[in-house]
Amino acid sequence: MTRRIIRRGGDKMAKLYKLDYRFKDGEKWEFEKHGVELTTDQIAYMLQEFQKSDNIEIENQSSGDKKKVSEIKSIELRF
C-alpha cells in the first residue's frame, strides 16, 4: 500500500508575509529593519502564543531592542 502525502497549497512553497509592528508609544518596527517573514501557519502560532501572556517579549533582530506583547498596537502584514 502506498501512502500519499498532500501538503496544503499543493506543491507550491508557502507564501511568506512581511510583518510591521506598530507600538503604543508610536515606534514602528518595519520589515526592512527586522526582517521577519512568516507563513500563515507561523503567524497563527505566533498570535496564539501572544494571547497566553502580556509579558512575552519580542525582539528586533537587527537592533536587539525588546518590547512586551502588551506594547503592540497593531501588526501589519505585507505581501
Side-chain angles (χ1 to χ4, degrees):
M1 181 176 186
T2 304
R3 289 186 179 198
R4 186 171 182 190
I5 299 172
I6 301 173
R7 288 179 267 163
R8 271 194 249 171
D11 292 330
K12 295 180 183 179
M13 292 291 293
K15 181 162 179 60
L16 294 175
Y17 296 89
K18 298 168 178 74
L19 303 181
D20 290 343
Y21 295 93
R22 296 178 192 270
F23 297 95
K24 294 174 184 174
D25 65 3
E27 189 174 353
K28 181 178 179 182
W29 291 356
E30 295 178 322
F31 165 76
E32 291 78 14
K33 301 219 185 231
H34 63 76
V36 173
E37 287 184 293
L38 301 174
T39 65
T40 54
D41 289 340
Q42 291 170 320
I43 291 167
Y45 176 79
M46 176 189 75
L47 294 175
Q48 287 173 350
E49 290 299 305
F50 283 2
Q51 288 180 342
K52 291 181 181 179
S53 173
D54 285 341
N55 291 323
I56 294 174
E57 289 186 332
I58 58 173
E59 181 176 1
N60 185 324
Q61 296 298 314
S62 65
S63 68
D65 291 341
K66 293 181 182 179
K67 290 197 175 264
K68 291 189 178 188
V69 170
S70 60
E71 298 177 67
I72 297 173
K73 180 178 179 182
S74 65
I75 300 172
E76 180 179 321
L77 302 177
R78 292 196 284 150
F79 301 91

